[in-house]
Amino acid sequence: MSATQSNPWYSPLLSLRWRLAVVYSALFGIFVILLSIFLYSSISNLLLYRAQQAFPLRAQALGTQLVQEVCTASSPQSLVSFIQHIPPSDVDQIYLLDHAGKVIASSSNSLLKQPFPYLNAAFFAHESNGTKTSFNGHNSGSTTSIGLLLPLQPSSGCLFPRILPAYIAFLTSYNDEQNTLRTILLMLGITSAFMIVLGALIISFFTAIMFKPLRQVTRATRALARGNLEQRVPLLQSNDEIAELAASFNQMADRIQQMFAAQQASERRAQRFVSDASHELRTPITSLRGFTEVLIRGAKDDPETVQRVLGLMKNEAERMTELVNNLLTLARLDEGHVPATNDIDLIEMVIECQQHIRKQSPGSYKLSLELVTSDRYSIRGNREQIKQMLLVLLDNAVKYGCSGEQKEILLRLDRPEARCQMQVIDYGDGITQEDLPHVFERFYRGRNAVDRPAPISGTGLGLAIALAIAQAYRGTITVCSSPGQETIFTISFPGL
């Protein structure tokens, strides 16, 4: 199944970033809506409360004003003129009623000489003076109005008590407040919608910024899965979980790269071991097969020939054994298999190696030892392997350094700073400048080994083994040579 078939078109919207953005936007929207509802409720209650509190006070003031106008003025204005000149700020309709409940005058000249429709006649027949009454009415249309009926009583000494009506009725519908609230509701709705949209955009923007490192980790993970082991995530300056994830990813990538490099190196070593072994074992195997064929063809009947051929076969077998042992030693050192270590006295070991070389390579050469200081020469390592390394260098010095007229080998021990240093110096033909960079390569043999009437035997693994042993114990081997004068191999180890 392809990626297009398995992932729908809206799959990017199901990512963690968008889901968090939707959740945050929804929470922000709920907050804005609740805030708008609270504001509208507060404003609505405040406006209606003020209007409801102001209406009775305004009605009472107008009733008192009407009584004063009628009772105290020498020539009071007409009742119709009085009620029609009242500002309609908080009162929609005003009616003046007689004792029977009929309308004497009204601010809109309506219902004149008709019974007051908002209260029945029985109310006016039994209602006592001095009591104000609330009622519900209807203005034009279907708007519900709130009414208040106040009885009017002339004061003592009233000049025109007969002119004063019995009741004054007020109607108000709170239309201004309702219009104001509708305007506020519309403004709150538009503002809330705008804030929710703007908040969602801002949340999406900042969510994208916050998730940018996570997207980098995702891209790096995909690149790592495709085989790009160099892929890393830039480290963040913050201390949050995404920064920890980026650091953990980089550590994991480093570990994977190291393991992959180690695996490749191990494979290369195995391939090189097989290649080197097959290359170097080809010659002795071919020789053994040739000797076998000689014996099969009839040489077995000649005792002298048989002995000579068997001796040659023994030499080839020993050569094969030495070659395989050397290759196994290099393979173990390449894999990091280091035997148990102990303290080694270099002076004692050097003397032992000198005696061994004299027994193995008897000849007219001088092998001397020089101690630069009287300090203690001790290192940490495996005695057999350090001894093997020194024997390789001494054997090379005997083979290549004692072929001329000056057959002398010098072993010099020194203690520079905190290290132990050994130098193997010979005064033979030396190493040419072309061969010098390659002397530690495996199976490499220089011109002085092959370009001579009697080539020097060897496999070309000795110096490679010596270098591997030195590196296994944090040591170094260097070489410098002046052809025809001297060749110096310098070995250095951390001292104790």
Side-chain angles (χ1 to χ4, degrees), residues 362-426:
S364 58
Y365 60 87
K366 180 181 179 181
L367 182 56
S368 57
L369 174 63
E370 177 183 346
L371 300 178
V372 178
T373 66
S374 59
D375 295 337
R376 180 171 174 259
Y377 294 93
S378 296
I379 62 172
R380 186 77 179 177
N382 182 265
R383 181 179 180 84
E384 293 302 322
Q385 288 194 343
I386 300 297
K387 180 179 178 181
Q388 181 183 3
M389 176 197 66
L390 187 55
L391 287 175
V392 167
L393 297 178
L394 290 175
D395 184 61
N396 274 8
V398 171
K399 290 179 180 179
Y400 299 99
C402 297
S403 58
E405 296 180 357
Q406 189 173 1
K407 298 182 179 182
E408 182 179 355
I409 300 173
L410 175 62
L411 260 172
R412 178 183 296 156
L413 295 181
D414 195 3
R415 188 67 190 264
E417 298 179 354
R419 300 185 71 84
C420 289
Q421 179 178 288
M422 295 181 290
Q423 288 184 322
V424 180
I425 307 171
D426 66 73

Side-chain angles (χ1 to χ4, degrees), residues 215-231 249 256 260:
R215 292 196 300 272
Q216 292 177 341
V217 174
T218 303
R219 288 194 295 267
T221 304
R222 292 174 180 171
L224 187 66
R226 289 192 297 265
N228 184 7
L229 300 181
E230 300 293 334
Q231 187 68 39
F249 173 83
I256 292 176
F260 188 75

Side-chain angles (χ1 to χ4, degrees), residues 409-481:
I409 300 173
L410 175 62
L411 260 172
R412 178 183 296 156
L413 295 181
D414 195 3
R415 188 67 190 264
E417 298 179 354
R419 300 185 71 84
C420 289
Q421 179 178 288
M422 295 181 290
Q423 288 184 322
V424 180
I425 307 171
D426 66 73
Y427 304 95
D429 296 334
I431 305 172
T432 63
Q433 294 300 317
E434 293 80 4
D435 294 333
L436 198 60
H438 307 286
V439 294
F440 292 106
E441 295 180 3
R442 301 179 183 190
F443 300 105
Y444 183 82
R445 306 195 69 201
R447 296 180 181 179
N448 292 335
V450 296
D451 295 346
R452 56 175 62 202
I456 300 175
S457 62
T459 61
L461 291 175
L463 291 180
I465 292 175
L467 178 62
I469 292 174
Q471 292 176 345
Y473 301 102
R474 299 182 298 158
T476 59
I477 296 182
T478 58
V479 59
C480 60
S481 180

Side-chain angles (χ1 to χ4, degrees), residues 172-412:
T172 185
S173 60
Y174 303 130
N175 284 334
D176 293 340
E177 288 78 5
Q178 296 294 339
N179 292 334
T180 302
L181 289 177
R182 282 192 291 270
T183 302
I184 293 174
L185 181 62
L186 178 62
M187 292 179 62
L188 285 176
I190 295 175
T191 304
S192 299
F194 175 76
M195 289 180 64
I196 291 174
V197 172
L198 180 62
L201 294 176
I202 294 175
I203 289 173
S204 300
F205 174 74
F206 282 103
T207 304
I209 293 178
M210 290 187 296
F211 273 76
K212 182 179 179 181
L214 192 58
R215 292 196 300 272
Q216 292 177 341
V217 174
T218 303
R219 288 194 295 267
T221 304
R222 292 174 180 171
L224 187 66
R226 289 192 297 265
N228 184 7
L229 300 181
E230 300 293 334
Q231 187 68 39
R232 297 294 185 274
V233 179
L235 294 179
L236 305 178
Q237 300 299 325
S238 59
N239 294 322
D240 55 9
E241 290 80 1
I242 298 181
E244 294 180 2
L245 177 62
S248 300
F249 173 83
N250 289 340
Q251 293 176 0
M252 180 190 67
D254 292 338
R255 182 61 177 168
I256 292 176
Q257 187 176 18
Q258 292 173 2
M259 294 175 63
F260 188 75
Q263 180 182 2
Q264 287 185 325
S266 178
E267 291 177 355
R268 286 194 299 267
R269 288 193 297 268
Q271 292 174 358
R272 184 170 57 182
F273 175 82
V274 173
S275 176
D276 294 343
S278 61
H279 177 269
E280 292 300 320
L281 291 175
R282 184 182 299 117
T283 300
I285 290 175
T286 303
S287 299
L288 289 174
R289 186 175 60 184
F291 295 146
T292 305
E293 290 177 355
V294 169
L295 293 175
I296 293 174
R297 288 176 183 177
K300 61 182 179 181
D301 298 329
D302 185 358
E304 183 179 352
T305 303
V306 170
Q307 291 298 323
R308 183 169 57 85
V309 171
L310 290 177
L312 293 175
M313 292 176 68
K314 179 177 180 294
N315 292 336
E316 291 298 333
E318 291 176 350
R319 179 184 173 190
M320 290 175 59
T321 303
E322 180 184 2
L323 178 61
V324 171
N325 289 335
N326 289 337
L327 288 174
L328 290 175
T329 299
L330 282 173
R332 292 192 183 99
L333 291 173
D334 288 341
E335 293 292 339
H337 296 162
V338 179
T341 60
N342 46 34
D343 295 344
I344 303 173
D345 187 343
L346 289 182
I347 297 178
E348 179 183 345
M349 191 187 66
V350 166
I351 295 174
E352 183 180 345
C353 290
Q354 283 180 318
Q355 295 173 354
H356 182 81
I357 287 296
R358 287 194 179 99
K359 293 178 181 179
Q360 295 295 327
S361 304
S364 58
Y365 60 87
K366 180 181 179 181
L367 182 56
S368 57
L369 174 63
E370 177 183 346
L371 300 178
V372 178
T373 66
S374 59
D375 295 337
R376 180 171 174 259
Y377 294 93
S378 296
I379 62 172
R380 186 77 179 177
N382 182 265
R383 181 179 180 84
E384 293 302 322
Q385 288 194 343
I386 300 297
K387 180 179 178 181
Q388 181 183 3
M389 176 197 66
L390 187 55
L391 287 175
V392 167
L393 297 178
L394 290 175
D395 184 61
N396 274 8
V398 171
K399 290 179 180 179
Y400 299 99
C402 297
S403 58
E405 296 180 357
Q406 189 173 1
K407 298 182 179 182
E408 182 179 355
I409 300 173
L410 175 62
L411 260 172
R412 178 183 296 156

